[in-house]
Amino acid sequence: MPFPLRGNDVCQPTLPTPIPDPYWVAFSPAVAQLINLQVGPDGLPSNPDWLAVLAGNQVHIDQLEFTQPISTAYSGHQFGVWAGQLGDGRAILLGDMNDLELQLKGAGKTHYSRMGDGRAVLRSSIREFLCSEAMHALGIPTSRALAVIGSKQAVRRETMETAAVCSRIAPSFIRIGHFEHFAALKNTTRLKELADLMIAHFYPECNTDKDPYLSLFKAITNRNAKLVAQWQSVGFCHGVLNSDNISALGLTIDYGPFGFLDHFEIDHICNHSDQGGRYAYHRQPQVMHWNMACLASAMLPLLELDHSSEVSQDLLRTALEEFPLVYAREWQQLFRSKLGLQLPQESDIQLIERLLQAMHDSKIDYTNFFRSLSKIKKDTLPAGILQRNDFIDRENIDQWFADYLNRLQSEIISDESRKELMDRINPKYILRNHLAQVAIEKAQQDDFSEVATLLKILSNPFDEQENLEAYSEPPPLSMLKIEVSCSS
Ligand code: AMP
Ligand code: MG
């Protein structure tokens, strides 16, 4: 939908700043299809003007429902601290196509750029592009990425790099931070407008509730609880779960220093700048819950329109308490499925937790281990299980496999059907940091073939792909410690 609010308390008309000599780095025909953008035989838009549009060098083009390019204001909590007003410091909303918003990230300074240059570098743009598409293919709600356009324009980060613009697409980029923005301005009228528009466009079911705003809060919370359970299940670490990076639609947004787990390390920190580990893998659920508490505070004035302050607080507090329950239900369901267990048993949770502990202790490759589990037949003898060799404490893992095999005996499903289901939930291919790094380094030498290869592989993460085994392997030791920081 078009960004629903107007007024300089929340948005500013913003024109992209052109970049010199733009060129295609990456393009996703699947996303083009979503917005009805016609693609030619070369896999690029039939209308060549799109290169200039996606570079930020031209804003008018027929297909784009042109409103007025804008950047929006939001506020939020960064690393647990109130950061005041932030906003789209380098994202410009160009317009709508097929009811989806088209945003350019890195298209130059906006009203909200503060000290920033409004740019994004090639490295981070390729990472956002690939990860958006990889997450979508994994079945995880996310903003999508249409293209990356490069330019030789220099951009200063820790070193000199070059600029790129990533075009991304979502039904809406409204964040928890937009609610916090109006709450901080103590502008309940605007806060109400925002909530009403969210309900009208995205949560119509809340309208029939006697308490629509409470219902909206619950719906947003629900989606984000399920989202974070999905992240945990594929070993995805977001890296910067500040409240301004949390979508009001429960989408994964604002890809920065994210990372997928290679070996399982429960307290893995993917963001080099996150020294305290606030956003470590095992803390993501708690932190998302915390962000939902920020949303609850922001929405309090809306409940107070119909209830006393005390009742409003009680209602929101009770709703917030649902978060860990929804999360746990989803998490359990996902991990049961990862183990190929269809008929829930209470002891399953212990079985899953024992496995994760053993994987952590032995630094077992997360993705490959789960993928390999589907090969185990119900009547295998524990001693014949190859995976045991990767664990340090053999006695412990043998006991685990014995219990697992025993547990599989209580399932009615055949080995073949179980394998099929498990191979649809345990991916073979994920965007490992070292794979992205190789593609980035080639792209920095103007060879974009590896970005295209990765897009293709990661678009089918559950399929065995011929001759592409190497893309499922853990990183070589030399690439184990690639550092990714907030700088992008
Ligand atoms: P992030 O951690 O990427 O979500 O960014 C936090 C805030 O800083 C957001 O308001 C961004 O728009 C802004 N920001 C990040 N990088 C830049 C940049 N290069 N130029 C301007 N604003 C930026
Ligand atoms: Mg952000």
Side-chain angles (χ1 to χ4, degrees), residues 113 171 216:
S113 294
L216 176 64

Side-chain angles (χ1 to χ4, degrees), residues 100-128:
L100 292 165
E101 292 184 354
L102 174 62
Q103 221 187 43
L104 300 186
K105 181 168 173 180
K109 282 191 187 166
T110 75
H111 187 74
Y112 310 104
S113 294
R114 297 177 294 161
M115 307 299 281
D117 57 10
R119 290 294 176 197
V121 295
L122 181 63
R123 163 177 55 85
S124 66
S125 305
I126 290 176
R127 280 169 51 85
E128 172 144 13

Side-chain angles (χ1 to χ4, degrees), residues 74 78 86-87 89-90 113-114 116-119 157 245 254:
Y74 47 81
Q78 298 187 311
L86 304 160
R90 51 173 173 167
S113 294
R114 297 177 294 161
D117 57 10
R119 290 294 176 197
R157 292 294 179 262
N245 288 341
D254 282 19

Side-chain angles (χ1 to χ4, degrees), residues 363-378:
K363 298 191 177 340
I364 300 295
D365 189 83
Y366 182 77
T367 304
N368 290 353
F369 178 83
F370 276 107
R371 180 73 179 185
S372 75
L373 273 185
S374 66
K375 296 198 184 91
I376 294 176
K377 307 254 191 300
K378 269 189 211 180

Side-chain angles (χ1 to χ4, degrees), residues 111-168:
H111 187 74
Y112 310 104
S113 294
R114 297 177 294 161
M115 307 299 281
D117 57 10
R119 290 294 176 197
V121 295
L122 181 63
R123 163 177 55 85
S124 66
S125 305
I126 290 176
R127 280 169 51 85
E128 172 144 13
F129 175 84
L130 288 175
C131 200
S132 310
E133 293 311 287
M135 291 292 265
H136 171 72
L138 288 167
I140 301 178
T142 175
S143 58
R144 303 289 301 272
L146 178 63
V148 176
I149 309 296
S151 162
K152 293 295 171 208
Q153 179 162 319
V155 174
R156 182 182 292 281
R157 292 294 179 262
E158 277 98 351
T159 57
M160 288 312 281
E161 300 189 46
T162 58
V165 180
C166 181
S167 34
R168 49 184 199 178

Side-chain angles (χ1 to χ4, degrees), residues 23-40:
Y23 47 84
W24 295 104
V25 171
F27 184 75
S28 166
V31 177
Q33 203 170 21
L34 275 183
I35 54 171
N36 299 332
L37 179 62
Q38 214 188 353
V39 174

Side-chain angles (χ1 to χ4, degrees), residues 245-432:
N245 288 341
I246 308 294
S247 154
L249 296 186
L251 307 172
T252 314
I253 54 167
D254 282 19
Y255 291 91
F258 66 83
F260 282 86
L261 297 177
D262 287 307
H263 62 265
F264 187 65
E265 186 180 34
I266 186 101
D267 47 357
H268 177 69
I269 304 167
C270 66
N271 175 358
H272 183 57
S273 321
D274 180 13
Q275 274 134 6
R278 178 177 168 85
Y279 299 139
Y281 173 78
H282 67 313
R283 294 218 173 108
Q284 296 193 116
Q286 265 166 274
V287 154
M288 187 62 94
H289 189 197
W290 189 89
N291 282 316
M292 294 304 113
C294 294
L295 177 63
S297 316
M299 289 183 75
L300 182 64
L302 296 177
L303 276 87
E304 287 172 347
L305 296 172
D306 297 320
H307 306 280
S308 73
S309 186
E310 209 171 296
V311 169
S312 302
Q313 287 186 37
D314 275 352
L315 287 170
L316 283 167
R317 196 174 299 117
T318 309
L320 195 57
E321 282 165 9
E322 286 285 310
F323 182 97
L325 307 178
V326 175
Y327 168 75
R329 250 196 321 271
E330 194 69 13
W331 184 90
Q332 289 169 16
Q333 173 57 35
L334 286 165
F335 276 81
R336 273 199 181 100
S337 306
K338 286 176 83 66
L339 289 181
L341 309 176
Q342 310 298 313
L343 313 164
Q345 290 182 16
E346 215 157 292
S347 58
D348 292 344
I349 309 313
Q350 218 202 353
L351 193 70
I352 299 165
E353 283 174 349
R354 277 169 57 207
L355 172 64
L356 292 177
Q357 183 65 54
M359 289 175 73
H360 172 86
D361 293 342
S362 292
K363 298 191 177 340
I364 300 295
D365 189 83
Y366 182 77
T367 304
N368 290 353
F369 178 83
F370 276 107
R371 180 73 179 185
S372 75
L373 273 185
S374 66
K375 296 198 184 91
I376 294 176
K377 307 254 191 300
K378 269 189 211 180
D379 56 6
T380 318
L381 292 175
I385 291 178
L386 290 175
Q387 288 93 331
R388 70 185 285 276
N389 299 325
D390 298 328
F391 287 79
I392 298 164
D393 187 345
R394 299 278 162 81
E395 207 179 310
N396 175 55
I397 199 65
D398 284 349
Q399 185 56 57
W400 187 85
F401 273 120
D403 293 342
Y404 177 53
L405 287 165
N406 203 12
R407 175 66 183 78
L408 287 182
Q409 300 292 342
S410 60
E411 294 281 327
I412 18 186
I413 190 169
S414 69
D415 283 334
E416 292 68 36
S417 308
R418 189 181 67 251
K419 179 171 191 314
E420 243 169 68
L421 290 174
M422 288 174 81
D423 288 351
R424 291 282 116 197
I425 186 155
N426 294 315
K428 170 129 181 164
Y429 302 100
I430 50 157
L431 180 59
R432 294 178 188 263

